[in-house]
Coordinates of all heavy atoms in Angstrom, one line a residue:
M1 N 36.4 2.2 5.8 CA 36.1 3.0 4.6 C 35.0 2.4 3.9 O 34.1 3.1 3.4 CB 37.4 3.1 3.8 CG 37.2 3.9 2.6 SD 37.3 5.6 3.2 CE 37.5 6.4 1.6
S2 N 34.9 1.1 3.7 CA 33.9 0.4 3.0 C 32.5 0.6 3.7 O 31.5 0.6 3.0 CB 34.2 -1.0 2.7 OG 34.2 -1.7 3.9
K3 N 32.5 0.6 5.0 CA 31.3 0.8 5.8 C 30.7 2.1 5.5 O 29.5 2.3 5.3 CB 31.5 0.6 7.3 CG 31.7 -0.8 7.6 CD 31.9 -1.0 9.2 CE 32.1 -2.4 9.5 NZ 32.3 -2.5 11.0
V4 N 31.5 3.1 5.4 CA 31.0 4.5 5.1 C 30.5 4.5 3.6 O 29.4 5.1 3.5 CB 32.2 5.5 5.2 CG1 31.8 6.9 4.7 CG2 32.7 5.5 6.6
K5 N 31.1 3.9 2.7 CA 30.6 3.9 1.3 C 29.2 3.1 1.3 O 28.3 3.6 0.6 CB 31.6 3.2 0.4 CG 32.8 4.1 0.1 CD 33.7 3.4 -0.9 CE 34.9 4.2 -1.1 NZ 35.9 3.6 -2.0
I6 N 29.1 2.0 2.0 CA 27.9 1.3 2.0 C 26.8 2.0 2.6 O 25.6 2.1 2.1 CB 28.1 -0.2 2.6 CG1 29.1 -1.0 1.7 CG2 26.8 -0.8 2.9 CD1 29.5 -2.3 2.4
S7 N 27.0 2.6 3.7 CA 25.9 3.4 4.4 C 25.5 4.6 3.6 O 24.4 4.9 3.5 CB 26.4 3.8 5.8 OG 27.4 4.8 5.7
G8 N 26.4 5.2 2.9 CA 26.1 6.3 2.0 C 25.2 5.8 0.8 O 24.2 6.4 0.4
F9 N 25.6 4.6 0.3 CA 24.8 4.1 -0.8 C 23.4 3.7 -0.4 O 22.4 4.0 -1.1 CB 25.5 2.8 -1.4 CG 24.8 2.1 -2.4 CD1 24.7 2.7 -3.7 CD2 24.2 0.9 -2.2 CE1 24.0 2.0 -4.7 CE2 23.5 0.2 -3.2 CZ 23.4 0.8 -4.5
I10 N 23.3 3.1 0.8 CA 22.0 2.7 1.3 C 21.1 3.9 1.6 O 20.0 4.0 1.4 CB 22.1 1.8 2.6 CG1 22.6 0.5 2.1 CG2 20.8 1.7 3.3 CD1 23.0 -0.5 3.2
S11 N 21.8 5.0 2.1 CA 21.1 6.3 2.4 C 20.5 6.9 1.1 O 19.4 7.3 1.1 CB 22.0 7.2 3.1 OG 21.4 8.5 3.3
R12 N 21.3 6.8 0.0 CA 20.8 7.4 -1.2 C 19.6 6.5 -1.8 O 18.7 7.1 -2.3 CB 21.9 7.4 -2.3 CG 22.8 8.6 -2.0 CD 23.8 8.7 -3.1 NE 25.0 8.0 -2.5 CZ 25.9 7.5 -3.1 NH1 26.0 7.5 -4.4 NH2 26.9 6.9 -2.5
L13 N 19.7 5.2 -1.6 CA 18.6 4.3 -2.0 C 17.3 4.6 -1.2 O 16.3 4.7 -1.8 CB 19.0 2.8 -1.8 CG 19.9 2.2 -2.9 CD1 20.2 0.8 -2.6 CD2 19.2 2.3 -4.3
K14 N 17.5 4.8 0.1 CA 16.3 5.2 0.9 C 15.7 6.5 0.4 O 14.5 6.6 0.4 CB 16.7 5.2 2.4 CG 16.9 3.9 3.0 CD 17.3 4.1 4.4 CE 17.5 2.8 5.1 NZ 17.8 2.9 6.5
D15 N 16.5 7.5 0.1 CA 16.0 8.8 -0.3 C 15.2 8.6 -1.7 O 14.2 9.1 -1.8 CB 17.2 9.8 -0.5 CG 17.7 10.2 0.7 OD1 17.1 10.0 1.8 OD2 18.9 10.8 0.7
Y16 N 15.8 7.8 -2.6 CA 15.1 7.5 -3.9 C 13.8 6.8 -3.6 O 12.8 7.1 -4.2 CB 16.0 6.7 -4.8 CG 15.3 6.3 -6.0 CD1 15.0 7.2 -7.0 CD2 15.0 4.9 -6.2 CE1 14.4 6.7 -8.2 CE2 14.3 4.5 -7.4 CZ 14.0 5.4 -8.3 OH 13.4 5.0 -9.4
H17 N 13.9 5.8 -2.7 CA 12.8 5.0 -2.4 C 11.6 5.8 -1.9 O 10.4 5.6 -2.2 CB 13.2 3.9 -1.4 CG 12.0 3.1 -0.9 ND1 11.4 2.2 -1.7 CD2 11.4 3.1 0.3 CE1 10.4 1.7 -1.0 NE2 10.4 2.2 0.2
H18 N 11.9 6.8 -1.0 CA 10.9 7.6 -0.4 C 10.4 8.7 -1.4 O 9.4 9.4 -1.1 CB 11.3 8.2 0.9 CG 11.5 7.2 2.0 ND1 10.5 6.4 2.4 CD2 12.6 6.8 2.7 CE1 10.9 5.6 3.3 NE2 12.2 5.8 3.6
G19 N 11.1 8.9 -2.5 CA 10.8 9.9 -3.4 C 9.7 9.4 -4.4 O 8.6 9.1 -4.1
T20 N 10.2 9.3 -5.7 CA 9.3 8.9 -6.8 C 8.7 7.5 -6.6 O 7.5 7.4 -6.8 CB 10.2 8.8 -8.1 OG1 10.9 10.1 -8.2 CG2 9.3 8.7 -9.3
R21 N 9.4 6.5 -6.2 CA 8.9 5.2 -6.0 C 7.8 5.2 -4.9 O 6.8 4.5 -5.1 CB 10.0 4.2 -5.7 CG 10.9 3.9 -6.9 CD 11.9 2.9 -6.6 NE 11.2 1.6 -6.3 CZ 11.8 0.6 -5.7 NH1 13.1 0.7 -5.3 NH2 11.1 -0.5 -5.5
G22 N 8.1 5.9 -3.8 CA 7.1 5.9 -2.7 C 5.8 6.6 -3.1 O 4.7 6.1 -2.8
K23 N 5.9 7.7 -3.9 CA 4.6 8.3 -4.4 C 3.9 7.4 -5.4 O 2.6 7.4 -5.3 CB 5.0 9.6 -5.1 CG 5.5 10.7 -4.2 CD 5.9 12.0 -4.9 CE 6.5 13.0 -4.0 NZ 7.0 14.2 -4.8
T24 N 4.6 6.7 -6.2 CA 4.0 5.8 -7.2 C 3.2 4.7 -6.4 O 2.1 4.4 -6.7 CB 5.0 5.2 -8.2 OG1 5.6 6.3 -8.8 CG2 4.3 4.3 -9.1
R25 N 3.8 4.1 -5.4 CA 3.2 3.0 -4.6 C 2.0 3.6 -3.9 O 0.9 2.9 -3.8 CB 4.2 2.4 -3.7 CG 5.3 1.7 -4.4 CD 5.7 0.4 -3.8 NE 6.8 -0.2 -4.4 CZ 6.7 -1.2 -5.3 NH1 5.6 -1.6 -5.7 NH2 7.8 -1.6 -5.8
R26 N 2.1 4.7 -3.3 CA 0.9 5.4 -2.6 C -0.2 5.6 -3.5 O -1.3 5.3 -3.2 CB 1.3 6.6 -1.9 CG 2.2 6.4 -0.7 CD 2.4 7.7 0.2 NE 2.8 8.8 -0.5 CZ 4.1 9.2 -0.6 NH1 5.1 8.5 -0.1 NH2 4.4 10.3 -1.2
T27 N 0.1 6.0 -4.8 CA -0.9 6.3 -5.7 C -1.7 5.0 -6.1 O -2.9 5.0 -6.2 CB -0.3 7.0 -7.0 OG1 0.3 8.2 -6.6 CG2 -1.4 7.3 -8.0
L28 N -0.8 4.0 -6.3 CA -1.4 2.6 -6.7 C -2.3 2.1 -5.5 O -3.4 1.6 -5.8 CB -0.3 1.6 -6.9 CG 0.4 1.8 -8.3 CD1 1.6 0.9 -8.4 CD2 -0.6 1.5 -9.4
M29 N -1.9 2.3 -4.3 CA -2.7 1.9 -3.1 C -4.0 2.6 -3.1 O -5.1 2.0 -2.9 CB -1.9 2.1 -1.9 CG -0.7 1.1 -1.7 SD 0.4 1.6 -0.3 CE -0.7 1.5 1.1
L30 N -4.0 3.9 -3.3 CA -5.2 4.7 -3.3 C -6.1 4.3 -4.5 O -7.3 4.4 -4.4 CB -4.9 6.2 -3.3 CG -4.3 6.7 -2.0 CD1 -3.8 8.2 -2.2 CD2 -5.4 6.6 -0.9
T31 N -5.5 4.0 -5.6 CA -6.3 3.5 -6.8 C -7.1 2.3 -6.5 O -8.3 2.2 -6.8 CB -5.4 3.3 -8.0 OG1 -4.7 4.5 -8.3 CG2 -6.2 2.9 -9.2
Y32 N -6.5 1.4 -5.8 CA -7.2 0.1 -5.4 C -8.4 0.4 -4.5 O -9.5 -0.2 -4.6 CB -6.3 -0.9 -4.8 CG -5.5 -1.7 -5.9 CD1 -4.1 -1.5 -6.0 CD2 -6.1 -2.6 -6.7 CE1 -3.4 -2.1 -7.0 CE2 -5.4 -3.2 -7.7 CZ -4.1 -3.0 -7.8 OH -3.3 -3.7 -8.8
S33 N -8.1 1.3 -3.5 CA -9.3 1.5 -2.6 C -10.4 2.3 -3.3 O -11.6 2.1 -3.1 CB -8.8 2.3 -1.4 OG -8.3 3.5 -1.7
N34 N -10.1 3.1 -4.3 CA -11.1 3.8 -5.0 C -11.8 2.9 -5.9 O -13.1 3.0 -6.2 CB -10.5 5.0 -5.9 CG -10.2 6.2 -5.0 OD1 -11.0 6.6 -4.2 ND2 -9.0 6.8 -5.3
V35 N -11.2 1.9 -6.4 CA -11.9 0.8 -7.2 C -12.9 0.1 -6.3 O -14.0 -0.1 -6.8 CB -10.9 -0.2 -7.8 CG1 -11.6 -1.4 -8.3 CG2 -10.0 0.5 -8.9
A36 N -12.5 -0.1 -5.1 CA -13.4 -0.8 -4.2 C -14.7 0.1 -3.9 O -15.8 -0.4 -3.8 CB -12.7 -1.2 -2.8
V37 N -14.4 1.4 -3.7 CA -15.6 2.3 -3.4 C -16.5 2.4 -4.6 O -17.7 2.4 -4.4 CB -15.0 3.7 -3.1 CG1 -16.1 4.7 -3.0 CG2 -14.2 3.6 -1.7
H38 N -16.0 2.4 -5.8 CA -16.8 2.6 -7.0 C -17.2 1.3 -7.7 O -17.9 1.3 -8.7 CB -16.1 3.5 -8.0 CG -16.0 4.9 -7.4 ND1 -14.8 5.2 -6.8 CD2 -16.8 5.9 -7.4 CE1 -15.0 6.5 -6.4 NE2 -16.2 6.9 -6.7
A39 N -16.8 0.2 -7.2 CA -17.1 -1.1 -7.8 C -18.6 -1.5 -7.6 O -19.2 -1.0 -6.6 CB -16.3 -2.3 -7.2
P40 N -19.2 -2.3 -8.5 CA -20.6 -2.7 -8.3 C -20.6 -3.5 -7.0 O -19.8 -4.4 -6.7 CB -20.8 -3.7 -9.5 CG -19.9 -3.2 -10.5 CD -18.6 -2.7 -9.8
K41 N -21.6 -3.2 -6.1 CA -21.6 -3.7 -4.8 C -21.8 -5.2 -4.8 O -21.4 -6.0 -3.9 CB -22.7 -3.1 -4.0 CG -22.6 -1.6 -3.9 CD -21.2 -1.2 -3.3 CE -21.0 0.3 -3.3 NZ -19.6 0.6 -3.1
E42 N -22.5 -5.8 -5.8 CA -22.8 -7.2 -5.8 C -21.5 -8.0 -6.2 O -21.4 -9.2 -6.0 CB -23.9 -7.6 -6.8 CG -23.7 -7.1 -8.2 CD -24.1 -5.7 -8.5 OE1 -24.7 -5.0 -7.6 OE2 -23.9 -5.2 -9.6
Q43 N -20.5 -7.3 -6.8 CA -19.2 -8.0 -7.2 C -18.1 -7.7 -6.2 O -17.1 -8.3 -6.2 CB -18.8 -7.5 -8.6 CG -19.8 -8.0 -9.6 CD -19.3 -7.4 -11.0 OE1 -18.3 -6.8 -11.1 NE2 -20.1 -7.7 -12.0
L44 N -18.3 -6.8 -5.2 CA -17.3 -6.4 -4.4 C -16.7 -7.4 -3.5 O -15.5 -7.7 -3.3 CB -17.7 -5.1 -3.6 CG -16.6 -4.6 -2.7 CD1 -15.4 -4.1 -3.4 CD2 -17.2 -3.5 -1.8
L45 N -17.7 -8.1 -2.8 CA -17.2 -9.1 -1.7 C -16.5 -10.2 -2.3 O -15.6 -10.7 -1.6 CB -18.5 -9.6 -1.0 CG -19.2 -8.5 -0.1 CD1 -20.3 -9.1 0.6 CD2 -18.3 -7.8 0.9
S46 N -16.8 -10.6 -3.5 CA -16.0 -11.7 -4.1 C -14.6 -11.4 -4.5 O -13.8 -12.3 -4.6 CB -16.8 -12.3 -5.3 OG -16.9 -11.4 -6.3
R47 N -14.3 -10.1 -4.7 CA -13.0 -9.7 -5.2 C -12.2 -8.9 -4.2 O -11.0 -8.7 -4.4 CB -13.2 -8.8 -6.4 CG -14.1 -9.3 -7.5 CD -13.5 -10.6 -8.2 NE -12.3 -10.4 -8.9 CZ -12.2 -10.2 -10.1 NH1 -13.2 -10.1 -10.9 NH2 -11.0 -10.0 -10.7
V48 N -12.8 -8.4 -3.0 CA -12.1 -7.5 -2.2 C -10.9 -8.1 -1.5 O -9.9 -7.5 -1.3 CB -13.1 -6.8 -1.2 CG1 -13.5 -7.8 -0.2 CG2 -12.5 -5.6 -0.6
E49 N -11.1 -9.3 -1.1 CA -10.0 -9.9 -0.3 C -8.7 -10.3 -1.1 O -7.6 -9.8 -0.8 CB -10.5 -11.2 0.4 CG -9.5 -11.7 1.4 CD -10.1 -12.9 2.2 OE1 -11.3 -13.1 2.1 OE2 -9.3 -13.5 3.0
A50 N -8.9 -11.0 -2.2 CA -7.8 -11.3 -3.0 C -7.2 -10.2 -3.9 O -6.0 -10.0 -3.9 CB -8.1 -12.6 -3.8
D51 N -8.1 -9.6 -4.6 CA -7.7 -8.6 -5.6 C -7.4 -7.2 -5.0 O -6.3 -6.7 -5.3 CB -8.7 -8.5 -6.7 CG -8.9 -9.8 -7.5 OD1 -7.9 -10.5 -7.5 OD2 -10.0 -10.0 -8.0
V52 N -8.3 -6.7 -4.2 CA -8.1 -5.3 -3.8 C -7.2 -5.2 -2.6 O -6.1 -4.6 -2.6 CB -9.5 -4.7 -3.5 CG1 -9.3 -3.3 -2.9 CG2 -10.4 -4.7 -4.7
T53 N -7.6 -5.9 -1.5 CA -6.8 -5.8 -0.3 C -5.4 -6.5 -0.5 O -4.4 -6.0 0.1 CB -7.5 -6.5 0.9 OG1 -8.8 -6.0 1.0 CG2 -6.8 -6.3 2.2
G54 N -5.4 -7.5 -1.2 CA -4.1 -8.2 -1.5 C -3.1 -7.3 -2.2 O -1.9 -7.3 -1.8
N55 N -3.6 -6.6 -3.1 CA -2.7 -5.7 -3.9 C -2.3 -4.5 -3.0 O -1.1 -4.0 -3.1 CB -3.4 -5.2 -5.2 CG -3.3 -6.3 -6.3 OD1 -2.4 -7.0 -6.4 ND2 -4.4 -6.4 -6.9
V56 N -3.2 -3.9 -2.2 CA -2.8 -2.8 -1.4 C -1.7 -3.3 -0.4 O -0.7 -2.6 -0.2 CB -4.1 -2.3 -0.6 CG1 -3.7 -1.4 0.6 CG2 -5.0 -1.6 -1.5
L57 N -1.9 -4.5 0.2 CA -0.9 -4.9 1.1 C 0.5 -5.3 0.5 O 1.5 -5.1 1.1 CB -1.4 -6.1 1.9 CG -2.5 -5.8 2.9 CD1 -3.0 -7.1 3.5 CD2 -2.1 -4.9 3.9
H58 N 0.4 -5.8 -0.8 CA 1.6 -6.0 -1.5 C 2.4 -4.8 -1.8 O 3.6 -4.7 -1.6 CB 1.2 -6.7 -2.9 CG 2.4 -6.7 -3.8 ND1 3.4 -7.6 -3.7 CD2 2.6 -6.0 -4.9 CE1 4.3 -7.4 -4.7 NE2 3.8 -6.4 -5.5
H59 N 1.7 -3.7 -2.2 CA 2.4 -2.4 -2.4 C 2.9 -1.8 -1.1 O 4.0 -1.2 -1.1 CB 1.5 -1.4 -3.1 CG 1.2 -1.8 -4.6 ND1 2.2 -1.9 -5.5 CD2 0.1 -2.1 -5.2 CE1 1.8 -2.3 -6.7 NE2 0.5 -2.4 -6.5
Y60 N 2.2 -2.0 0.0 CA 2.7 -1.5 1.2 C 4.0 -2.2 1.7 O 5.0 -1.7 2.1 CB 1.7 -1.6 2.3 CG 2.1 -1.1 3.7 CD1 2.2 0.2 3.9 CD2 2.5 -2.0 4.6 CE1 2.7 0.7 5.2 CE2 3.0 -1.6 5.9 CZ 3.0 -0.2 6.1 OH 3.5 0.3 7.3
R61 N 3.9 -3.6 1.6 CA 5.1 -4.4 2.0 C 6.3 -4.1 1.1 O 7.4 -4.0 1.6 CB 4.7 -5.9 1.9 CG 4.0 -6.4 3.1 CD 3.9 -7.9 3.1 NE 3.3 -8.4 1.9 CZ 2.1 -8.8 1.7 NH1 1.2 -8.7 2.7 NH2 1.6 -9.3 0.5
T62 N 6.1 -4.0 -0.2 CA 7.3 -3.7 -1.0 C 7.8 -2.3 -0.8 O 9.0 -2.0 -1.1 CB 6.9 -3.9 -2.5 OG1 5.8 -3.1 -2.9 CG2 6.7 -5.4 -2.8
S63 N 7.0 -1.4 -0.3 CA 7.4 -0.1 0.1 C 8.3 -0.1 1.3 O 9.1 0.9 1.6 CB 6.3 0.9 0.3 OG 5.6 1.1 -0.9
C64 N 8.2 -1.2 2.1 CA 9.0 -1.3 3.3 C 10.3 -2.1 3.1 O 10.9 -2.6 4.0 CB 8.2 -2.0 4.4 SG 6.7 -1.1 4.9
Q65 N 10.7 -2.3 1.8 CA 11.9 -3.1 1.5 C 12.9 -2.2 0.7 O 12.5 -1.4 -0.1 CB 11.5 -4.3 0.7 CG 10.7 -5.3 1.4 CD 10.4 -6.5 0.6 OE1 10.7 -6.5 -0.6 NE2 9.9 -7.5 1.2
V66 N 14.2 -2.4 1.0 CA 15.3 -1.8 0.3 C 16.2 -2.9 -0.1 O 16.7 -3.6 0.7 CB 16.0 -0.7 1.2 CG1 17.2 -0.2 0.4 CG2 15.1 0.4 1.6
L67 N 16.4 -3.1 -1.4 CA 17.2 -4.2 -1.9 C 16.7 -5.5 -1.4 O 17.5 -6.4 -1.1 CB 18.7 -4.0 -1.6 CG 19.4 -2.8 -2.2 CD1 20.8 -2.7 -1.6 CD2 19.4 -2.9 -3.7
G68 N 15.4 -5.7 -1.3 CA 14.9 -7.0 -0.9 C 14.9 -7.2 0.6 O 14.5 -8.3 1.1
I69 N 15.4 -6.3 1.4 CA 15.5 -6.4 2.8 C 14.5 -5.6 3.5 O 14.3 -4.4 3.2 CB 16.9 -6.0 3.4 CG1 18.0 -6.8 2.7 CG2 17.0 -6.1 4.9 CD1 19.4 -6.2 2.9
T70 N 13.6 -6.2 4.3 CA 12.6 -5.5 5.0 C 13.2 -4.6 6.1 O 14.0 -4.9 6.9 CB 11.6 -6.5 5.7 OG1 11.1 -7.3 4.7 CG2 10.4 -5.7 6.3
V71 N 12.8 -3.3 6.0 CA 13.2 -2.3 7.0 C 12.0 -1.6 7.6 O 10.9 -1.7 7.1 CB 14.1 -1.2 6.2 CG1 15.4 -1.7 5.7 CG2 13.3 -0.5 5.2
T72 N 12.3 -1.0 8.8 CA 11.2 -0.3 9.4 C 10.9 0.9 8.6 O 11.8 1.7 8.4 CB 11.6 0.1 10.8 OG1 12.0 -1.1 11.6 CG2 10.5 0.8 11.6
N73 N 9.7 1.1 8.3 CA 9.3 2.2 7.4 C 8.8 3.3 8.3 O 7.9 3.2 9.1 CB 8.2 1.8 6.5 CG 8.0 2.8 5.3 OD1 8.3 3.9 5.5 ND2 7.7 2.3 4.2
K74 N 9.4 4.5 8.2 CA 9.1 5.7 8.9 C 8.4 6.7 8.1 O 8.2 7.8 8.5 CB 10.4 6.3 9.5 CG 11.1 5.3 10.5 CD 12.3 6.0 11.2 CE 12.9 4.9 12.1 NZ 14.1 5.4 12.6
D75 N 8.0 6.3 6.9 CA 7.3 7.2 5.9 C 5.8 7.4 6.5 O 5.0 6.5 6.3 CB 7.3 6.7 4.6 CG 6.7 7.6 3.5 OD1 6.3 8.7 3.9 OD2 6.6 7.2 2.4
M76 N 5.6 8.6 7.1 CA 4.3 8.8 7.6 C 3.2 8.9 6.5 O 2.1 8.5 6.7 CB 4.3 10.1 8.4 CG 3.0 10.4 9.2 SD 2.6 9.1 10.3 CE 4.0 9.2 11.5
H77 N 3.6 9.4 5.3 CA 2.6 9.5 4.2 C 2.1 8.1 3.8 O 1.0 7.8 3.5 CB 3.2 10.2 3.0 CG 3.5 11.6 3.3 ND1 2.4 12.6 3.4 CD2 4.6 12.3 3.4 CE1 3.0 13.7 3.7 NE2 4.3 13.6 3.6
L78 N 3.0 7.1 3.8 CA 2.7 5.7 3.5 C 1.8 5.1 4.5 O 0.8 4.5 4.2 CB 4.0 4.9 3.3 CG 3.8 3.4 2.9 CD1 3.1 3.3 1.5 CD2 5.1 2.7 2.9
K79 N 2.1 5.3 5.7 CA 1.2 4.8 6.8 C -0.1 5.4 6.8 O -1.2 4.7 6.9 CB 1.9 5.1 8.2 CG 3.1 4.3 8.4 CD 3.8 4.6 9.7 CE 5.1 3.8 9.8 NZ 5.8 4.0 11.1
L80 N -0.2 6.7 6.6 CA -1.5 7.4 6.4 C -2.3 6.9 5.2 O -3.5 6.7 5.2 CB -1.4 8.9 6.4 CG -0.9 9.5 7.7 CD1 -0.6 11.0 7.4 CD2 -2.0 9.4 8.7
T81 N -1.6 6.6 4.1 CA -2.2 6.0 2.9 C -2.8 4.7 3.2 O -3.9 4.4 2.8 CB -1.3 6.0 1.8 OG1 -0.7 7.3 1.4 CG2 -1.9 5.4 0.5
L82 N -2.1 3.8 4.0 CA -2.6 2.5 4.3 C -3.9 2.7 5.2 O -4.9 1.9 5.0 CB -1.6 1.7 5.0 CG -2.0 0.3 5.5 CD1 -2.3 -0.5 4.3 CD2 -0.9 -0.3 6.3
I83 N -3.9 3.6 6.1 CA -5.0 3.8 7.0 C -6.2 4.3 6.1 O -7.4 3.8 6.3 CB -4.7 4.8 8.1 CG1 -3.7 4.2 9.1 CG2 -5.9 5.2 8.8 CD1 -3.1 5.1 10.1
Q84 N -6.0 5.2 5.2 CA -7.1 5.7 4.3 C -7.6 4.5 3.5 O -8.8 4.4 3.3 CB -6.5 6.8 3.4 CG -7.6 7.4 2.5 CD -7.1 8.5 1.7 OE1 -5.9 8.9 1.8 NE2 -7.9 9.0 0.8
N85 N -6.7 3.6 3.0 CA -7.2 2.5 2.2 C -8.1 1.6 3.0 O -9.1 1.2 2.5 CB -5.9 1.7 1.7 CG -5.3 2.3 0.5 OD1 -6.0 2.5 -0.6 ND2 -4.1 2.6 0.6
V86 N -7.6 1.2 4.2 CA -8.4 0.4 5.0 C -9.8 1.0 5.3 O -10.9 0.3 5.3 CB -7.7 0.0 6.3 CG1 -8.6 -0.7 7.3 CG2 -6.5 -0.8 6.0
T87 N -9.8 2.3 5.6 CA -11.1 3.0 5.9 C -12.0 3.0 4.7 O -13.2 2.6 4.7 CB -10.8 4.4 6.3 OG1 -9.9 4.4 7.4 CG2 -12.1 5.2 6.6
E88 N -11.5 3.3 3.5 CA -12.3 3.3 2.3 C -12.8 1.9 1.9 O -14.0 1.8 1.5 CB -11.6 3.9 1.1 CG -11.3 5.4 1.2 CD -10.6 6.0 0.1 OE1 -10.1 5.2 -0.8 OE2 -10.3 7.2 0.1
I89 N -11.9 0.9 2.0 CA -12.4 -0.4 1.7 C -13.5 -0.9 2.7 O -14.4 -1.5 2.3 CB -11.2 -1.4 1.6 CG1 -10.3 -1.1 0.5 CG2 -11.6 -2.8 1.6 CD1 -8.9 -1.7 0.4
S90 N -13.2 -0.6 4.0 CA -14.3 -1.0 5.0 C -15.6 -0.3 4.7 O -16.7 -0.9 4.9 CB -13.7 -0.6 6.4 OG -12.6 -1.3 6.6
C91 N -15.6 1.0 4.4 CA -16.8 1.7 4.0 C -17.5 1.0 2.8 O -18.8 0.8 2.8 CB -16.6 3.1 3.8 SG -16.1 4.0 5.3
A92 N -16.7 0.6 1.8 CA -17.3 0.0 0.6 C -17.9 -1.3 1.0 O -19.0 -1.6 0.5 CB -16.2 -0.1 -0.4
I93 N -17.3 -2.1 1.9 CA -17.9 -3.3 2.3 C -19.2 -3.2 3.1 O -20.1 -3.9 2.9 CB -16.9 -4.2 3.1 CG1 -15.7 -4.6 2.2 CG2 -17.5 -5.3 3.8 CD1 -14.5 -5.2 3.0
L94 N -19.2 -2.2 4.0 CA -20.4 -1.9 4.8 C -21.6 -1.5 3.9 O -22.7 -1.6 4.3 CB -20.1 -0.8 5.8 CG -19.3 -1.3 7.0 CD1 -18.9 -0.2 7.9 CD2 -19.9 -2.4 7.8
E95 N -21.3 -0.9 2.7 CA -22.4 -0.5 1.9 C -23.1 -1.6 1.1 O -24.1 -1.4 0.5 CB -21.9 0.6 0.9 CG -21.6 1.9 1.6 CD -21.0 2.9 0.6 OE1 -20.9 2.6 -0.6 OE2 -20.6 4.0 1.0
T96 N -22.5 -2.8 1.1 CA -23.1 -3.9 0.4 C -24.2 -4.6 1.3 O -24.2 -4.4 2.5 CB -22.0 -5.0 0.1 OG1 -21.5 -5.6 1.3 CG2 -20.9 -4.4 -0.7
R97 N -25.0 -5.3 0.6 CA -26.2 -5.9 1.3 C -25.6 -7.0 2.2 O -26.2 -7.3 3.3 CB -27.1 -6.5 0.3 CG -27.9 -5.6 -0.4 CD -28.9 -6.3 -1.4 NE -28.1 -7.1 -2.3 CZ -28.5 -7.8 -3.3 NH1 -29.8 -7.7 -3.6 NH2 -27.7 -8.5 -4.1
D98 N -24.7 -7.8 1.8 CA -24.2 -9.0 2.5 C -23.0 -8.7 3.4 O -22.2 -9.5 3.8 CB -23.8 -10.0 1.5 CG -24.9 -10.5 0.7 OD1 -26.1 -10.4 1.2 OD2 -24.7 -10.9 -0.4
S99 N -22.8 -7.4 3.9 CA -21.7 -7.1 4.7 C -21.6 -7.8 6.0 O -20.5 -8.1 6.5 CB -21.6 -5.6 5.0 OG -22.7 -5.2 5.7
Q100 N -22.7 -8.2 6.6 CA -22.8 -9.0 7.8 C -22.2 -10.3 7.7 O -21.5 -10.8 8.5 CB -24.2 -9.0 8.4 CG -24.8 -7.7 8.8 CD -24.0 -7.0 9.9 OE1 -23.5 -7.6 10.8 NE2 -23.8 -5.6 9.7
K101 N -22.4 -10.9 6.5 CA -21.9 -12.3 6.3 C -20.4 -12.3 6.0 O -19.7 -13.2 6.3 CB -22.6 -12.9 5.0 CG -24.1 -13.1 5.2 CD -24.6 -13.7 4.0 CE -26.1 -13.9 4.1 NZ -26.7 -14.4 2.8
F102 N -19.9 -11.2 5.5 CA -18.5 -11.1 5.2 C -17.7 -10.9 6.4 O -16.7 -11.4 6.7 CB -18.3 -9.9 4.2 CG -16.9 -9.8 3.7 CD1 -16.5 -10.8 2.7 CD2 -16.0 -8.9 4.1 CE1 -15.2 -10.7 2.2 CE2 -14.7 -8.9 3.7 CZ -14.3 -9.8 2.7

């Protein structure tokens, strides 16, 4: 009986997680990549690794957790958002003068 209650509780948490919280995290991730695209090019390389990419990965990793436990994330929207972030950040890096050094 307790296993049924626990699995139902976890199922409801996953539904909530993929709802409002998931949308908020995806929006934050897209915001960071947009900052990279519109940032001054001379300041981008010094900040992209720690500030931009680090925060994007942080929000992605926390989206893959339920109650602090890492779970396999099957949210296709989240995965596509991560791919879009990597693409936008890469394009922003390539537009800088020193992209070859980076």
